Amino acid sequence: MTAGPLKTWYLVQFKPNSHSIALRNLNRQGFETFLPMITVTARVGSRFMSRSRPLFPGYLFLALDAGQGAWRKINSTYGVARIVSFAGQPSPVPHDLVAGLQARCDASGLLSAASDLAPRDQVTLQKGPFAQFVATVESLDEEQRVWVLIDLMGQKTRINVARGDVTKA
């Protein structure tokens, strides 16, 4: 997933709900792509459903050598709206940003939780019946579990969640 020495990362805007189509077609053309994903839980009727969605809705990263001019065919790729550009030229994304995201993603592009949690940090729960609730980290254990305090009806309640199920608020 890392770019070669001549490649630079750029941002590509894809059409609504077309990230998989855009990825497939860009990869078929030989472009190197990176789409970081996160898992979100939403209430559907009376059930909670988890699904993956792009970390940056509507955008993916693409590595290429812009000097070769091959970037022009990106805009006409099925599923792609446009490559983000200014003054008629693609605008590069800082390499450190993409490298940092890639370091936190698994092989499928799913973003893992930050390991920089500490007691008293504010976190947002991402899964389960308390999805989107803000809680306070009470303690962490070596088995990738986090004990958080959540305010339920004016009373602090202590619950145990997987480290991957929280993000820093």
Side-chain angles (χ1 to χ4, degrees), residues 1 8 16 28 36-37 41 60-61 74 87 113 119 125 155 162:
M1 271 202 277
T8 305
R28 279 185 189 161
M37 303 287 283
T41 300
L60 61 88
F61 297 100
I74 295 168
L125 302 174
Q155 183 175 342

Side-chain angles (χ1 to χ4, degrees):
M1 271 202 277
T2 58
L6 297 175
K7 293 185 180 179
T8 305
W9 287 100
Y10 296 90
L11 204 56
V12 173
Q13 183 179 19
F14 52 83
K15 293 180 180 175
N17 301 313
S18 297
H19 64 274
S20 58
I21 295 168
L23 273 177
R24 182 175 58 242
N25 289 309
L26 288 168
N27 290 333
R28 279 185 189 161
Q29 294 178 56
F31 291 110
E32 183 177 352
T33 58
F34 173 56
L35 179 63
M37 303 287 283
I38 58 171
T39 302
V40 294
T41 300
R43 186 179 199 125
V44 179
S46 63
R47 297 176 20 159
F48 290 94
M49 304 290 288
S50 292
R51 64 181 183 91
S52 294
R53 70 167 180 84
L55 177 63
F56 304 109
Y59 296 92
L60 61 88
F61 297 100
L62 178 118
L64 65 102
D65 180 4
Q68 292 181 346
W71 64 269
R72 294 187 189 278
K73 65 182 177 180
I74 295 168
N75 288 340
S76 60
T77 300
Y78 190 65
V80 171
R82 66 185 179 92
I83 187 167
V84 177
S85 54
F86 296 100
Q89 290 295 314
S91 181
V93 175
H95 186 270
D96 293 342
L97 171 72
V98 178
L101 285 169
Q102 286 178 327
R104 288 192 48 207
C105 288
D106 62 15
S108 67
L110 190 63
L111 191 69
S112 61
S115 60
D116 59 348
L117 293 178
R120 294 195 302 261
D121 281 349
Q122 294 291 307
V123 294
T124 303
L125 302 174
Q126 297 298 320
K127 293 182 181 177
F130 300 112
Q132 304 308 313
F133 274 61
V134 175
T136 304
V137 175
E138 183 185 53
S139 64
L140 306 152
D141 69 21
E142 62 281 348
E143 296 171 2
Q144 299 297 313
R145 303 296 293 175
V146 181
W147 287 95
V148 296
L149 294 173
I150 192 167
D151 188 6
L152 293 174
M153 296 187 279
Q155 183 175 342
K156 295 281 185 193
T157 303
R158 184 176 188 240
I159 60 172
N160 185 340
V161 295
R163 190 174 293 222
D165 294 349
V166 298
T167 56
K168 241 179 176 175

